[in-house]
Amino acid sequence: MLATQKMIEKDKIFINLGSMGSPTVLAAQDITLDAGVLQLFPLTAAEFTFKFDAAKPQERLKFNNLLPYVESTRAAVKYMIGAKGFKKPCLLHQDDEYGKNVLDGFTQQLTAMKMEAASVTSYKRGASDFSAPIAKMKSDGCDLVVLGAVIREPIGAMGEAKKLGWDVTFLGATPVNVLEVPALGKEVVEGLYSAGGSRFPTRIPPRARSKSGWRAIARPTMPGPIRRRSSATMRSRTMAHYIKLAGKDLTGEKLLAALESGDVFQDIFGSPPTKFSKTDHLATTITSVQQVKNGRWVVVKDGLSY
């Protein structure tokens, strides 16, 4: 909150771009919007970052280009059950707001498919022992375990399943879809599925090889392999697209009009296109299902929605 106040009052910003984390964004959001500052593309899928009350003009200043956890979980669960024929889906989730969002998506999709969960188990955030919940889900006959987890927990849960000799399919919510999971989990997480909104390129895409493309933007400050974290730099490119559309003598009002114009921005990684309107400030409702194969995330099915 203090950092936001400093940027607004001293630095005179009119755009707050890419703030990271649901609690961080929520704490600063009212300060940002009440000051007439645009809140663009935060690194959180929380609904409060794009849903707005038309009776509160300042709420039109928030935009998001990440698919919310409820929607992405629903789409991934729908695909996995439809494609693989699972009969007894289960859920293991954190007991926090993120975990509740995954629980909501999981429950809503099963209801829509006229199915019931074989087991739903929560764990305390930061837990490291998953022996009891995994044993319970095995005894409940689960054939698909959905994970409302982050990084350590999928590794711990899948490791525990392997100790029990339990061959079951795991599906993570979008926060599981990060490079750290296969890097740290290695063979333990081979075969893990996850909902995912963007891809992990293993090389610089052809469209990005020019001086005006990815290499010129990212390589000077981000050496090493291309990562989701690096591709988040494309938030700046998304913003630049709409700034260019807004034209010269830039103001917050002009940028707001450009964002709400319906003009489409497509990044170089094959992510879902970004498009907003005056009534919809969520860029996309499309996700994918990816799987860890030979230590890296591979797209199994793209263009998914529920």
Side-chain angles (χ1 to χ4, degrees), residues 49-282:
T49 62
F50 63 87
K51 284 193 173 180
F52 61 94
D53 183 350
K56 298 178 180 178
Q58 70 272 25
E59 291 204 345
R60 282 182 61 211
L61 298 172
K62 53 186 178 182
F63 294 79
N64 202 330
N65 56 357
L66 290 178
L67 182 62
Y69 301 130
V70 172
E71 283 84 346
S72 58
T73 299
R74 288 195 63 171
V77 169
K78 178 182 178 181
Y79 168 75
M80 292 294 289
I81 291 177
K84 309 292 183 180
F86 296 112
K87 303 297 183 183
K88 290 190 173 184
C90 300
L91 174 67
L92 178 64
H93 68 93
Q94 285 187 180
D95 61 346
D96 58 8
E97 280 301 311
Y98 154 58
K100 183 182 182 303
N101 277 311
V102 177
L103 171 62
D104 289 344
F106 176 77
T107 304
Q108 289 173 22
Q109 191 55 42
L110 291 193
T111 300
M113 301 177 80
K114 298 180 179 180
M115 297 179 68
E116 292 186 4
S119 180
V120 174
T121 305
S122 66
Y123 63 88
K124 292 290 182 184
R125 185 172 176 173
S128 57
D129 183 3
F130 295 95
S131 55
I134 291 296
K136 181 181 185 304
M137 287 189 288
K138 182 183 179 183
S139 67
D140 289 338
C142 303
D143 53 10
L144 172 67
V145 177
V146 178
L147 298 168
V150 187
I151 296 175
R152 292 189 308 167
E153 295 83 359
I155 301 170
M158 293 184 73
E160 195 62 40
K162 289 184 185 298
K163 287 180 185 178
L164 296 177
W166 186 29
D167 184 17
V168 67
T169 300
F170 285 87
L171 168 67
T174 48
V176 174
N177 187 231
V178 293
L179 289 174
E180 287 80 358
V181 170
L184 296 171
K186 302 187 186 305
E187 67 277 357
V188 170
V189 297
E190 275 292 313
L192 168 65
Y193 290 89
S194 178
S198 58
R199 301 168 185 255
F200 294 102
T202 55
R203 61 186 178 83
I204 298 175
R207 288 176 58 196
R209 290 176 184 166
S210 67
K211 289 184 178 180
S212 61
W214 174 253
R215 185 184 297 276
I217 301 164
R219 283 304 185 222
T221 56
M222 299 179 185
I226 300 172
R227 299 176 179 271
R228 167 77 51 78
R229 199 168 283 153
S230 305
S231 65
T233 300
M234 294 309 292
R235 279 168 166 66
S236 300
R237 299 293 283 177
T238 306
M239 181 180 70
H241 172 83
Y242 290 104
I243 285 177
K244 183 177 181 180
L245 186 66
K248 296 181 178 180
D249 302 317
L250 184 65
T251 64
E253 290 80 1
K254 284 186 176 182
L255 182 53
L256 177 61
L259 285 159
E260 292 185 334
S261 69
D263 196 80
V264 176
F265 172 75
Q266 178 65 63
D267 71 22
I268 60 176
F269 297 107
S271 303
T274 295
K275 181 181 178 181
F276 304 106
S277 71
K278 290 185 178 180
T279 57
D280 187 358
H281 286 193
L282 177 63

